[in-house]
């Protein structure tokens, strides 16, 4: 078992048998796992949802709004997965269209002007691949968010709470500090998609899940995630309150730290954070 | 000097016995075209106008003033950071076959005398996929443009993020987009040319962030690949979906530019964007 690092008493100590990457994928996708809306309700005393991108429509797969975190005004964006099949269909399984990303950006730009910190909750299988999404510029919408978030002049705290599905997750996932729940996943492609491409056999997703290095521990080791948030044994769905409480504590701690730092310093560090991913290639021995 | 850019009037091809290899078959209209004629026409079928794919080196040869291109960061090499099954072999094979070390070539050169920094993706190298080195090179190209005060012109042809580098590939979307953001803040222009095919993480990052975004005729461009979309929505895609012309119609491109007019079009735009022009046609000083 790899060390979770920095005093996180995670998986190893709380479970006699550590879950495999594939088991973690199942936990991250578990129908009873707390959704973004559960975290919003659990963390914020007050939440005002804001709708629409002012360009095309209002994407039900993306949540955006203003909230109070222990009296501190913040802006919130997050993927909106449903709790059951009916709600999931209405919410497109948390897979946004371009208007979802543009709504999120609109609210983040508002946060920048009002000097509100942004808290982003990530939980999506990915950006929706469909005809309308392509027609309206899914790629452009994601790209624009990446650029704008990289230099948004307000602190951004990202919490990966469930599925981090590739570009559709990253499109609201660029920030100063990236937290990740112990049994969340974050990957460039789904294990099923990876297996289909590699072996022309989606049923070998279990192997692909291991190869992709998509667990919180992997991401922490690779320098992509700053801190792993421990989960109850077996996963957050077994004790949602415990996981929500852990996330609340972490958000409180990091928000306080982020708000102390001058914005110019924050922006420089944010750029460096992403800029250095890949510079390890110049290490001796290449 | 520009004769080779003009589309030659095409006389009827004589049918006679020729050794194999002198003729090419157009992948679209199936016409047999004398290979030298095809090369002279920048690999655009003189019969039907189909744009055959170019490697990065070919792209540089047909775009930049002869002898003006100076490559940068040529020594960057990818490694199998995640220990991903089969990746090392694929890398070695691609290096041997293409003669390049990675799927991206960056440098500076002149286009009709206008000095620019460029980054060109190489589709023959693992589908032009973006891993850490490609991301690093795009970021360096943007930084080189800033340090020299030159516009940036990129040519994309890519299947997207490189699966075998997992989450590190995904993070290159953020890295390259952040670098383009800095270029924009520095007041420098960025022209992005999308070639066949450009999909996935490359469209969802730097390639769609151009101040000008243009494409070659017929190029397949999209966030999700057509097969993924068909599987998701379970219906046949309309004719011409995700082509350059389709995107132009939907407002997602500034223009569609035939290869034979690419140099003159870029030069015309670069005049507006403060690109310094060399009066003598000499190689740029590194």
């Amino acid at each position: 078992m790899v060390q979770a690092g920095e005093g996180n008493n995670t998986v190893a100590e709380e479970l006699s048998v550590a879950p495999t990457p594939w088991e973690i994928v199942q936990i991250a996708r578990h129908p009873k796992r707390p959704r973004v809306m559960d975290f919003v309700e659990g963390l914020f005393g007050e939440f005002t949802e804001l709708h629409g991108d002012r360009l095309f429509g209002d994407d039900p797969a993306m949540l955006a709004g203003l909230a109070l975190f222990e009296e501190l005004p913040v802006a919130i964006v997050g993927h909106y997965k449903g709790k059951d099949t009916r709600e999931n269909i209405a919410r497109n399984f948390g897979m946004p269209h371009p208007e979802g990303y543009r709504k999120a950006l609109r609210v983040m730009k508002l946060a920048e002007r009002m000097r509100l910190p942004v808290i982003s909750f990530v939980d999506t299988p990915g950006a929706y691949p469909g005809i309308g999404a392509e027609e309206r510029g899914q790629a452009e919408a994601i790209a624009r968010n990446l650029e704008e978030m990289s230099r948004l002049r307000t602190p951004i705290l990202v919490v990966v709470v469930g599925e981090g599905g590739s570009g559709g997750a990253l499109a609201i996932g660029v920030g100063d500090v990236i937290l990740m729940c112990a049994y969340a996943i974050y990957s460039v492609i789904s294990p099923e998609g990876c297996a289909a491409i590699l072996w022309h056999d989606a049923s070998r997703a279990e192997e692909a899940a291991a190869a992709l290095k998509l667990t919180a521990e992997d991401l922490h080791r690779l320098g992509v995630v700053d801190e792993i948030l421990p989960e109850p044994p077996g996963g957050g769905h077994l004790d949602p309150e415990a996981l929500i409480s852990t996330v609340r504590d972490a958000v409180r701690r990091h928000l306080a730290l982020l708000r102390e730092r001058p914005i110019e310093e924050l922006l420089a560090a944010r750029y460096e954070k992403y800029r250095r991913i890949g510079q390890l290639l110049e290490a001796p021995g290449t | 000097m520009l004769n080779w850019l003009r589309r030659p009037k095409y006389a009827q091809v004589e049918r006679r016995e020729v050794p194999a290899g002198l003729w090419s078959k157009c992948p679209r209209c199936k016409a047999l075209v004398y290979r030298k004629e095809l090369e002279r026409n920048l690999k655009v079928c003189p019969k039907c106008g189909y744009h055959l794919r170019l490697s990065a080196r070919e792209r540089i040869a047909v775009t930049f003033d002869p002898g003006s291109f100076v490559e940068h960061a040529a020594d960057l090499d990818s490694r199998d950071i995640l220990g991903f099954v089969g990746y090392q072999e694929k890398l070695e094979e691609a290096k041997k076959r293409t003669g390049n070390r990675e799927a991206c070539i960056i440098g500076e050169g002149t286009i009709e005398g206008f000095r620019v920094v460029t980054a060109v993706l190489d589709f023959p190298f693992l589908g032009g996929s973006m891993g850490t080195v490609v991301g690093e090179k795009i970021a360096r190209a943007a930084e080189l443009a800033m340090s020299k005060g030159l516009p940036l012109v990129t040519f994309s042809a890519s299947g997207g993020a490189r699966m075998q580098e997992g989450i590190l590939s995904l993070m290159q979307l953020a890295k390259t987009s952040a670098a383009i953001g800095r270029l924009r803040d520095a007041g420098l222009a960025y022209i992005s040319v999308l070639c066949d095919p450009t999909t996935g993480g490359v469209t969802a990052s730097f390639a769609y962030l151009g101040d000008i975004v243009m494409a070659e005729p017929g190029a397949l461009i999209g966030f999700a690949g057509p097969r993924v979309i068909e599987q998701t929505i379970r219906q046949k895609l309309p004719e011409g979906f995700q082509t350059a012309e389709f995107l132009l119609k939907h407002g997602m491109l500034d223009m569609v530019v035939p290869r034979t007019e690419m140099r003159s079009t870029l030069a015309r735009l670069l005049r507006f964007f403060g690109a310094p022009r060399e009066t003598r046609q000499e190689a740029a000083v590194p």
Side-chain angles (χ1 to χ4, degrees), chain B residues 1-248:
Chain B
M1 182 231 134
L2 289 177
N3 276 346
W4 57 278
L5 271 176
R6 294 211 185 95
R7 185 178 298 209
K9 272 256 172 33
Y10 215 71
Q12 267 184 319
V13 177
E14 285 176 60
R15 298 263 162 175
R16 53 178 175 159
E17 289 297 306
V18 283
L22 280 181
W23 297 82
S24 294
K25 196 182 218 178
C26 170
R28 188 166 72 184
C29 73
K30 311 293 180 206
L32 283 176
V33 184
Y34 191 43
R35 193 179 286 266
K36 277 192 179 155
E37 198 67 54
L38 191 62
E39 302 287 337
R40 238 194 321 272
N41 204 31
L42 312 181
K43 288 203 170 179
V44 178
C45 174
K47 293 280 174 64
C48 72
Y50 179 75
H51 283 54
L52 280 79
R53 291 173 181 175
L54 297 182
S55 71
R57 299 279 174 201
E58 288 174 319
R59 176 72 57 187
I60 289 165
V62 304
T63 307
F64 288 86
D65 299 330
S68 74
F69 181 76
V70 178
E71 187 171 353
H72 285 250
D75 57 332
L76 288 187
D77 236 336
S78 281
R79 276 185 308 157
D80 178 18
I81 307 170
L82 302 185
F84 199 101
V85 54
Y87 181 39
Q88 197 61 48
E89 293 73 22
K90 282 203 173 96
L91 271 178
E92 296 305 326
E93 191 275 327
K95 283 183 196 177
K96 209 174 286 173
R97 191 166 35 77
T98 62
N100 295 330
R101 297 181 92 155
E102 250 301 343
C104 178
I105 296 173
I106 66 169
E108 52 178 314
T110 61
I111 299 170
E112 294 191 2
F114 289 105
R115 290 180 61 199
V116 299
V117 169
T118 193
V120 186
L121 296 187
D122 191 41
F123 194 75
F125 194 109
L126 298 183
S129 57
M130 178 160 68
T132 45
V133 168
V134 171
E136 177 70 16
K137 283 188 159 185
I138 298 292
R140 286 197 193 184
E143 288 165 356
L144 180 65
M146 280 183 272
S147 72
K148 302 232 170 188
L150 296 176
L152 175 67
V153 181
T154 64
F155 296 86
S156 298
S158 170
R162 187 172 297 169
M163 195 171 65
Q164 291 90 345
E165 291 185 28
I167 195 74
L168 298 175
S169 293
L170 183 64
M171 291 302 137
Q172 305 310 310
L173 276 65
K175 177 160 107 185
T176 57
S177 301
I180 297 299
R182 288 209 159 176
L183 185 75
R184 215 186 296 284
D185 283 343
L188 293 163
Y190 169 33
I191 301 176
S192 174
V193 183
L194 311 180
C195 310
D196 185 59
T198 304
T199 60
V202 167
T203 56
S205 61
F206 70 91
Y208 243 114
L209 292 172
D211 297 299
I212 304 286
V213 184
M214 59 174 79
E216 285 196 333
L220 172 80
I221 299 158
F223 172 65
R227 224 180 32 175
V228 173
I229 298 174
E230 273 186 350
Q231 283 165 1
T232 307
I233 64 175
R234 292 170 205 280
Q235 44 179 298
K236 269 272 173 230
L237 296 171
E239 186 69 22
F241 181 65
Q242 292 185 312
T243 58
E245 293 74 15
F246 170 92
L247 290 167
L248 181 70

Side-chain angles (χ1 to χ4, degrees), chain A residues 40 104 110 174 187 194 218 244:
Chain A
V40 169
L110 172 65
V174 174
S187 180
C194 176
D218 291 324
I244 289 166

Side-chain angles (χ1 to χ4, degrees), chain A residues 7 25 43 61 206 248 280 286:
Chain A
V25 170
L43 263 62
E206 181 164 1
R248 185 190 300 115
L280 67 167
T286 57

Side-chain angles (χ1 to χ4, degrees), chain A:
Chain A
M1 191 84 204
V2 186
Q3 283 291 314
E6 290 178 25
N8 286 311
N9 305 321
T10 57
V11 199
E13 292 177 30
E14 293 179 348
L15 276 184
S16 50
V17 182
T20 65
W22 183 239
E23 285 164 349
I24 291 177
V25 170
Q26 307 312 315
I27 298 172
R29 294 173 176 171
H30 197 283
K32 299 267 183 254
R33 187 172 177 83
R35 300 295 192 225
V36 167
M37 201 58 199
D38 297 314
F39 289 101
V40 169
E41 282 167 1
L43 263 62
F44 306 102
E46 195 187 301
F47 172 62
T48 305
E49 187 173 358
L50 300 174
H51 292 277
D53 67 347
R54 303 294 188 274
L55 296 164
F56 178 79
D58 183 39
D59 191 342
M62 182 68 72
L63 183 70
L66 304 171
L68 286 179
F69 181 76
E70 296 169 354
E71 306 308 313
L72 176 73
V74 298
I76 288 169
V77 295
H79 301 97
Y80 205 142
K81 272 188 189 174
K83 283 199 155 307
D84 51 39
T85 308
R86 219 177 64 177
E87 200 188 3
N88 253 323
I89 290 168
R91 299 276 173 197
N92 201 31
F93 297 84
M95 302 171 83
H97 281 72
E99 47 272 23
Y101 295 114
R102 289 171 183 144
K103 168 168 66 176
L105 180 59
R106 185 176 70 82
V107 172
M108 288 190 283
K109 296 294 279 183
L110 172 65
E112 179 181 50
R113 282 183 51 231
M114 297 297 128
R115 309 228 169 259
L116 309 177
V118 173
I119 306 175
S120 172
F121 295 93
V122 173
D123 185 15
T124 180
Y128 188 67
I131 292 176
E134 296 288 328
E135 287 176 339
R136 299 194 289 279
Q138 187 73 287
E140 193 275 343
I142 294 172
R144 187 71 50 202
N145 279 20
L146 300 181
E147 180 186 336
E148 294 289 347
M149 291 184 85
S150 77
R151 53 184 183 160
L152 197 79
R153 298 180 67 82
T154 194
I156 306 175
L157 177 57
V158 179
V159 194
V160 183
V161 296
E163 275 185 283
S166 198
L170 185 63
I172 58 164
V174 174
D176 301 298
V177 170
I178 316 297
L179 309 176
M180 185 162 168
C181 296
Y183 299 146
I185 56 171
Y186 201 172
S187 180
V188 69
I189 188 171
S190 72
E192 290 83 355
C194 176
I197 290 170
L198 265 193
W199 304 299
H200 305 285
D201 183 0
S203 68
R204 290 174 72 181
E206 181 164 1
E207 284 167 74
L212 282 167
K213 305 279 190 290
L214 45 63
T215 68
E217 289 193 5
D218 291 324
L219 269 73
H220 186 256
R221 189 167 41 81
L222 292 166
V224 174
V225 159
D226 298 292
E227 187 179 315
I228 302 172
L229 308 181
E231 295 200 24
H237 58 287
L238 297 174
D239 189 353
E241 279 312 312
L243 182 55
I244 289 166
S245 163
T246 303
V247 171
R248 185 190 300 115
D249 292 345
V251 165
R252 182 187 305 116
R253 187 157 40 83
H254 284 285
L255 267 187
L257 292 171
L258 284 172
R259 292 178 64 231
E260 277 175 14
R261 298 171 65 183
I263 188 66
E264 295 301 336
E265 179 194 312
L266 214 52
L267 288 175
R270 193 186 301 163
Y271 186 79
E272 269 313 303
K273 174 188 178 68
Y274 291 95
R275 185 65 189 80
R276 69 169 181 261
I277 298 178
Q279 291 193 338
L280 67 167
L281 295 162
E282 283 190 311
T286 57

